[in-house]
């Protein structure tokens, strides 16, 4: 029962303020005086009896100080304004009022303090009760939120108590009696015997161990419940009460079952793997190992978890592996080890292990997961393969050397065969030229007095000789012995110059048509390479057509967009096209035509270098090549050369001025080892009005200079006897005579001309005419002096 609160209505909660105490005191005294006047009259007596209730009221409500103040005021009033009685009686009444009033104030003060202590005690008890109520409410909320149900069994009376959460956990309606029989009814049939035995054993042992069991709810669902409790004994040690809790742990049980199944699957998977697997803790202690791991060691499972692997490491690998393992574990990153370990049967096996760090969901490092592969067989295979490779290396090298020798011999034979294909037509041309020259000279010798015939024959012989020069240059170009010198050339002019040689290379059995349609189109190319490319295309076309076939060579200007022709940039080009009506090419052949030494011709019929030369020339010139061909429909090869906006180099012959002999007369040192060439050049120089000093080799020429002969120009052949060249002579001569003009001359081609082309002096190529010699002399005189 809650404590009464009536004292709080008699005594104010806390001390009243001074003005409240003053009002209470004044009101109480006025009421006492009014009661006295009404009862006894104004002078009917002192009315001491009415004063005591007022003093008690003042002392209770206003406090003891105001009670003493009221008593003092009453005594003062009695003495100052005494009633109409004897003085002795007034004194006695005053003494009586002081004594009884004091007793009244003291009693009221004590009563006030007792009432206030009682009020405070009631307030404290109410506060405690409220706290208990709040605590019970919070506990009830916590139980419901946490699914914790309370149960209480009175073992003596056989009565029980279940909290609302207990009813809910068991799936029992709140109206059911909390009995042991009701508990067994809701328990799963398979768990009833176990629950009964646990409860019986708990009553005997005095301890209820935590246990889980299943309950069946009214809807048929099965839930897992965890129960735990304890027994309360009487003084004799007999159990009189059992209290405890139960919780619905269905979700936890399901999670545990999932973890258990997952662990079972992991172990089954790990044990079925043919590799060693293990899991370590943070300190390196293993907490799991698979079947292969245990079998490799030949130990029990528990012994395998704590086994020291250093006992099984090969002595040669021990120090290295220990250092690598310490570094790998310290890095907390994946690391790999490879070493030899002794298996349970005593055999050393190569094991390659890979350790991967593992982390908790919180991100904390927990250890490593490792896997080890037996790589012994792979190691052995690698060693065997290395020995086989070493054994085969020598054989392969020898085979490659034999192949290279065979390919070199084949290339030489093919080159000779390619040149042989051309010599038939070229020999015919040279014979015709020689016929003209020999015949003309013979007629001049027979009729020296016939001036008209002599001039006509000389002109014919000179023309034939110049055609022979051009033919020689074309042959050198075809043989790729000419130095590469790009020049601005008119493509149609070059095609016209090459036409006679092309017709002879093609032969009379094949129709050749030349259609130059790019007048004025100029390209920066090497003319010799261009003629060689045309020759290669014409010969290929000739070999592709049969009797009665046709070849057409044409030119035309064009503009290409980016990507229109493979490997050719956008821009303006001169297109040279060679069409034939031959057998054509299959796609697989067309894809390889530019490969060096690739040919579909019979052995001895082709080198496989023609189209590769055409491709190289086109790319070197900044253009490209495109081929269209189909089996039975012939082929078309398009050569794209970048078009230039500049004018082509002039090619007109400059005739010798009749008055050139009026020019400067030079003293020329001519160094030429060939006597006949020396005589001819001497005659040319004298015809030009110059004086000539002859020498047949380098040392003789230098001796002329050492002797102090006056020399205005040095004209020397490039290749000289005695191991020294014309370049050596020119270098020494310019050191002896600084500023001396020099002209180099040679009829050789290819690598021999390398030093001459790198030298700072002009090169006059043989054969040459008097006009060409005169122009070269003018050029040498106009050139600034070159340092030695």
């Amino acid at each position: 029962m809650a404590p009464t609160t009536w004292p709080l209505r008699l005594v104010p909660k806390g001390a009243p303020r001074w003005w409240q105490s003053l009002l209470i005191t004044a009101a109480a005294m006025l009421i006492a005086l009014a009661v006295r006047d009404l009862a006894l009259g104004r002078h009917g007596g002192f009315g001491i009896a009415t004063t005591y209730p007022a003093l008690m009221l003042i002392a209770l409500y206003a406090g003891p100080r105001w009670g003493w103040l009221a008593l003092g005021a009453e005594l003062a009033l009695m003495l100052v304004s005494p009633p109409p009685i004897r003085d002795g009686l007034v004194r006695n009444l005053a003494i009586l009022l002081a004594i009884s009033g004091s007793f009244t104030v003291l009693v009221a003060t004590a009563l006030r303090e007792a009432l206030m202590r009682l009020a405070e005690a009631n307030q404290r008890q109410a506060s405690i009760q409220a706290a208990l109520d709040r605590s019970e409410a919070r506990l009830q909320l916590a139980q419901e939120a946490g699914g914790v149900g309370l149960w209480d069994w009175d073992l003596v009376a056989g009565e029980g108590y279940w909290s609302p959460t207990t009813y809910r956990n068991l799936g029992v309606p709140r109206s059911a009696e909390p009995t042991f029989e009701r508990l067994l009814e809701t328990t799963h049939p398979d768990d009833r015997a176990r629950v009964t035995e646990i409860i019986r054993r708990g009553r005997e042992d005095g301890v209820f161990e935590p246990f889980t069991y299943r309950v069946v709810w009214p809807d048929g669902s099965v839930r897992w419940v965890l129960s735990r409790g304890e027994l309360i004994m009487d003084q004799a040690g007999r159990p009189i009460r059992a209290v405890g809790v139960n919780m619905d742990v269905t979700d936890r049980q399901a999670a545990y079952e999932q973890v258990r199944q997952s662990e079972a699957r992991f172990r089954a998977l790990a044990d079925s793997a043919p590799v060693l697997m293990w899991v370590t803790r943070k300190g390196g202690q293993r907490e799991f190992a698979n079947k292969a791991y245990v079998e490799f060691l030949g130990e029990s499972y528990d012994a395998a978890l704590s086994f020291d692997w250093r006992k099984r490491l090969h002595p040669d690998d021990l120090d290295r592996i220990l250092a690598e393992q310490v570094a790998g574990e310290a890095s907390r990153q994946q690391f790999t080890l490879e070493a030899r370990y002794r298996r349970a049967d005593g055999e050393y096996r190569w094991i390659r292990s890979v350790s991967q760090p593992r982390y908790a969901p919180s991100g904390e490092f927990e250890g490593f997961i490792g896997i080890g592969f037996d790589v012994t067989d792979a190691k052995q295979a690698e060693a065997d393969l290395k020995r086989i490779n070493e054994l085969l290396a020598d054989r392969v090298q020898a085979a490659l050397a034999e192949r290279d020798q065979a390919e070199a011999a084949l290339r030489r034979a093919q080159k000779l065969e390619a040149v042989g294909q051309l010599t038939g037509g070229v020999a015919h041309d040279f014979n015709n030229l020689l016929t003209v020259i020999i015949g003309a000279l013979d007629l001049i010798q027979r009729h020296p007095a016939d001036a008209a015939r002599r001039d006509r024959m000389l002109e014919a012989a000179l023309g034939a000789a110049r055609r022979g020069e051009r033919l020689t240059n074309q042959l050198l170009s075809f043989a790729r012995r000419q130095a590469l010198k790009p020049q601005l050339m008119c493509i149609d002019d070059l095609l016209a110059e090459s036409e006679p040689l092309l017709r002879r290379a093609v032969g009379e059995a094949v129709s050749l048509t030349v259609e130059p349609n790019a007048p004025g189109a100029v390209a920066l190319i090497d003319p010799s390479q261009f003629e060689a490319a045309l020759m290669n295309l014409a010969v290929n076309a000739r070999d592709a057509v049969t009797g009665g076939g046709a070849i057409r060579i044409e030119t035309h200007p064009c503009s290409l967009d980016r990507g229109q022709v493979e490997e050719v940039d956008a821009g303006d080009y001169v297109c040279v096209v060679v069409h034939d009506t031959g057998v054509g090419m299959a796609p697989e052949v067309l894809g390889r035509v530019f490969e060096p030494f690739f040919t579909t011709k019979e052995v001895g019929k082709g080198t496989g270098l023609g189209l590769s030369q055409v491709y190289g020339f086109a790319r070197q010139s900044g253009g490209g090549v495109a081929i269209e061909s189909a089996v039975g429909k012939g082929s078309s090869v398009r050569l794209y050369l970048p078009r230039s906006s500049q004018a082509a180099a002039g090619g007109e012959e400059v005739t010798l001025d009749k008055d050139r002999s009026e020019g400067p007369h030079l003293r020329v040192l001519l160094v030429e080892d060939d006597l006949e060439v020396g005589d001819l050049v001497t005659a040319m120089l004298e015809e030009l009005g110059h004086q000539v000093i002859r020498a047949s080799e380098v040392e003789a020429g230098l001796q002329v200079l050492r002797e102090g002969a006056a020399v205005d120009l040095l004209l020397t052949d490039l290749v000289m006897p005695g191991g020294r060249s014309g370049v050596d002579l020119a270098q020494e001569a310019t050191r002896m005579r600084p500023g001396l003009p020099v002209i180099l001359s040679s009829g050789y081609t290819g690598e021999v001309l390398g030093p001459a082309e790198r030298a700072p002096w002009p090169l006059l190529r043989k054969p040459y005419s008097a006009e060409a010699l005169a122009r070269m002399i003018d050029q040498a005189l106009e050139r600034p002096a070159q340092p030695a």
Side-chain angles (χ1 to χ4, degrees):
M1 178 179 293
T4 180
T5 58
W6 64 268
L8 297 179
R9 292 194 294 270
L10 297 177
V11 180
K13 183 179 180 180
R17 298 181 180 180
W18 66 268
W19 56 270
Q20 292 175 335
S21 299
L22 179 61
L23 289 177
I24 291 172
T25 302
M29 293 302 295
L30 290 176
I31 291 172
L33 292 176
V35 171
R36 184 192 65 183
D37 292 343
L38 290 175
L40 301 177
R42 182 172 180 81
H43 299 287
F46 290 102
I48 296 176
T50 63
T51 302
Y52 296 150
L55 291 177
M56 182 170 291
L57 180 64
I58 293 170
L60 283 174
Y61 278 92
R65 290 180 298 177
W66 291 95
W68 292 116
L69 181 62
L71 178 60
E74 181 69 19
L75 289 174
L77 181 63
M78 179 181 292
L79 295 176
V80 172
S81 178
I85 57 173
R86 296 189 305 274
D87 293 337
L89 184 57
V90 171
R91 185 177 62 252
N92 292 334
L93 289 174
I95 293 172
L96 178 62
L97 177 61
I99 294 173
S100 59
S102 298
F103 181 77
T104 300
V105 171
L106 290 174
V107 171
T109 300
L111 180 60
R112 171 188 171 89
E113 291 179 357
L115 290 176
M116 293 192 68
R117 284 196 296 272
L118 180 60
E120 291 176 358
N122 287 337
Q123 289 177 354
R124 285 196 297 272
Q125 185 173 358
S127 177
I128 292 172
Q129 184 63 37
L132 288 175
D133 293 342
R134 290 193 299 271
S135 178
E136 288 182 359
R138 286 194 296 269
L139 177 61
Q140 184 66 29
L141 289 175
Q143 291 174 356
E144 293 180 357
V148 179
L150 300 179
W151 51 266
D152 188 348
W153 296 93
D154 188 336
L155 302 180
V156 177
E159 298 177 351
Y161 165 77
W162 291 348
S163 70
T165 308
T166 299
Y167 279 100
R168 187 183 65 188
N169 291 342
L170 297 177
V172 177
R174 294 287 299 275
S175 60
E177 290 291 330
T179 62
F180 177 71
E181 290 75 13
R182 189 68 177 119
L183 174 64
L184 290 181
E185 288 179 4
T186 190
T187 302
H188 193 282
D190 296 341
D191 296 344
R192 288 174 185 171
R194 183 169 60 87
V195 171
T196 302
E197 176 62 21
I198 292 174
I199 294 176
R200 183 193 64 77
R201 190 168 58 249
R203 295 187 63 175
E204 293 178 356
D205 299 340
V207 177
F208 285 109
E209 296 292 340
F211 64 96
T212 57
Y213 61 98
R214 290 167 293 177
V215 297
V216 181
W217 282 11
D219 60 1
S221 61
V222 177
R223 309 290 293 180
W224 283 89
V225 176
L226 169 65
S227 181
R228 64 177 62 192
E230 63 179 15
L231 290 175
I232 299 176
M233 308 293 184
D234 60 7
Q235 295 180 352
R238 293 188 301 271
I240 60 174
R241 188 178 179 189
V243 295
V245 297
N246 68 4
M247 292 182 292
D248 188 325
V249 293
T250 304
D251 295 340
R252 188 184 73 176
Q253 192 72 16
Y256 169 78
E257 183 63 21
Q258 290 179 353
V259 171
R260 187 190 66 79
Q261 293 178 1
S262 177
E263 291 181 351
R265 287 193 298 269
F266 169 75
R267 179 171 291 277
L269 178 63
D271 286 342
S272 64
V275 295
L276 283 65
M277 299 178 65
W278 63 92
V279 178
T280 66
R281 298 192 185 99
K282 184 185 300 184
Q285 174 64 35
R286 287 177 290 276
E287 64 180 26
F288 169 78
N290 71 337
K291 183 179 179 181
Y293 185 102
V294 175
E295 290 178 349
F296 188 94
L297 290 175
E299 303 284 344
S300 65
Y301 182 81
D302 293 337
L305 292 181
S306 58
F307 190 84
D308 186 356
W309 275 96
R310 290 175 294 182
K311 300 177 181 179
R312 296 291 184 90
L313 263 170
H314 194 283
D316 295 342
D317 300 335
L318 179 59
D319 294 339
R320 174 179 59 84
I321 289 300
L322 291 180
E324 291 178 359
Q325 182 171 359
V326 170
E329 292 180 349
S331 69
R332 293 190 176 180
Q333 296 180 356
Q334 178 178 313
F335 64 93
T336 302
L337 304 176
E338 187 172 289
R340 289 162 289 184
Y341 297 86
R342 191 177 72 254
R343 201 166 52 187
D345 58 4
E347 180 183 357
Y348 277 101
R349 306 290 294 179
W350 280 95
I351 302 296
R352 180 184 294 127
S353 64
V354 180
S355 297
Q356 178 74 32
R358 63 189 184 95
Y359 297 90
S362 61
E364 181 182 2
F365 173 76
E366 288 192 333
F368 285 91
I369 299 175
I371 183 170
F373 302 90
D374 189 328
V375 294
T376 307
D377 295 339
K379 282 280 188 180
Q380 185 62 43
E382 182 180 351
D384 294 343
L385 182 60
K386 184 177 180 180
R387 287 194 296 272
I388 294 173
N389 288 337
E390 291 174 354
L391 180 62
L392 290 178
D394 296 336
R395 298 182 181 179
V396 171
Q397 190 65 30
L400 289 176
E402 293 177 1
R403 186 202 64 182
D404 292 342
Q405 292 177 359
E407 287 184 353
L410 177 61
R411 284 195 295 271
R412 286 194 297 271
Q414 289 175 336
K415 290 179 180 179
L416 291 175
E417 187 274 335
V419 173
Q421 290 182 1
L422 188 61
T423 54
V426 173
H428 177 70
D429 279 350
F430 270 111
N431 288 332
N432 288 339
L433 295 176
L434 290 175
T435 298
V436 173
I437 295 173
I438 293 172
L441 294 176
D442 182 63
L443 289 175
I444 294 173
Q445 188 178 18
R446 287 176 180 275
H447 305 281
D450 190 344
R453 176 178 291 181
R454 184 185 62 225
D455 292 341
R456 190 169 62 253
M457 290 299 101
L458 285 174
E459 184 66 27
L462 185 60
R466 288 173 177 169
R467 290 197 301 273
E469 178 188 3
R470 287 197 297 271
L471 180 60
T472 301
N473 289 334
Q474 288 173 337
L475 289 174
L476 292 174
S477 174
F478 177 71
R480 285 177 246 176
R481 301 295 294 175
Q482 290 280 53
L484 305 182
K485 290 188 175 180
Q487 303 176 35
L488 290 169
M489 304 299 298
C490 179
I491 301 301
D492 283 359
D493 293 346
L494 285 177
L495 180 60
E497 292 178 7
S498 302
E499 183 177 353
L501 184 61
L502 293 173
R503 291 190 179 279
R504 289 175 178 81
V506 169
E508 298 178 357
V510 178
S511 172
L512 174 63
T513 303
V514 178
E515 298 179 358
N517 298 315
V522 176
L524 182 62
I525 60 172
D526 186 307
S528 299
Q529 277 197 323
F530 175 77
E531 292 171 351
L534 273 182
M535 179 63 68
N536 283 324
L537 293 177
V539 171
N540 280 349
R542 180 201 65 189
D543 294 340
V545 300
T546 58
I551 299 174
R552 186 176 77 258
I553 302 177
E554 62 181 39
T555 63
H556 62 270
C558 65
S559 297
L560 298 179
D561 296 330
R562 184 176 182 85
Q564 186 173 348
V565 178
E566 187 176 359
E567 296 185 344
V568 179
D569 296 332
D572 297 330
Y573 292 87
V574 182
C575 181
V576 181
V577 189
V578 178
H579 302 279
D580 69 67
T581 60
V583 296
M585 291 179 282
E588 60 271 14
V589 175
L590 191 62
R592 300 183 59 190
V593 291
F594 294 129
E595 296 180 11
F597 306 110
F598 174 77
T599 179
T600 59
K601 300 175 183 179
E602 298 178 3
V603 176
K605 297 296 184 180
T607 63
L609 295 172
L611 286 178
S612 65
Q613 184 272 339
V614 174
Y615 176 82
F617 161 69
R619 295 298 296 162
Q620 182 185 17
S621 302
V625 183
I627 298 181
E628 297 177 1
S629 183
V631 176
K633 297 183 179 180
S635 302
S636 295
V637 182
R638 287 178 170 81
L639 185 63
Y640 293 96
L641 301 174
R643 210 180 337 151
S644 175
S645 59
Q646 301 181 33
E652 298 86 0
E653 289 289 337
V654 179
T655 58
L656 182 63
D657 290 339
K658 299 301 181 182
D659 59 350
R660 184 177 287 275
S661 59
E662 301 299 327
H665 299 286
L666 305 176
R667 291 177 292 275
V668 180
L669 173 58
L670 174 62
V671 183
E672 174 62 61
D673 60 322
D674 189 298
L675 181 59
E676 294 180 355
V677 174
D679 292 341
L680 177 61
V681 176
T682 299
M684 290 182 181
L685 291 172
E686 290 176 348
E687 179 70 19
L688 294 173
H690 305 302
Q691 297 180 10
V692 180
I693 303 175
R694 296 278 298 273
S696 60
E697 44 91 19
V698 173
E699 187 59 34
L702 293 175
Q703 185 62 33
V704 171
L705 296 175
R706 293 191 190 102
E707 293 176 352
V711 176
D712 300 317
L713 174 69
L714 172 62
L715 174 58
T716 177
D717 191 23
L718 183 62
V719 179
M720 304 288 288
R724 303 180 71 183
S725 68
V727 174
D728 298 329
L729 171 60
Q731 292 174 345
E732 185 68 24
T734 53
R735 280 195 292 267
M736 296 171 62
R737 303 282 182 92
L740 177 65
V742 176
I743 298 175
L744 302 176
S745 177
S746 179
Y748 284 90
T749 60
E751 292 83 358
V752 177
L753 296 182
E757 291 174 343
R758 292 189 294 270
W761 303 288
L763 175 64
L764 180 62
R765 297 178 185 270
K766 297 178 181 178
Y768 53 83
S769 63
E771 290 85 352
L773 177 58
R775 289 197 304 272
M776 186 61 70
I777 291 174
D778 293 341
Q779 180 181 346
L781 294 176
E782 292 173 358
R783 291 171 66 93
Q786 299 294 333

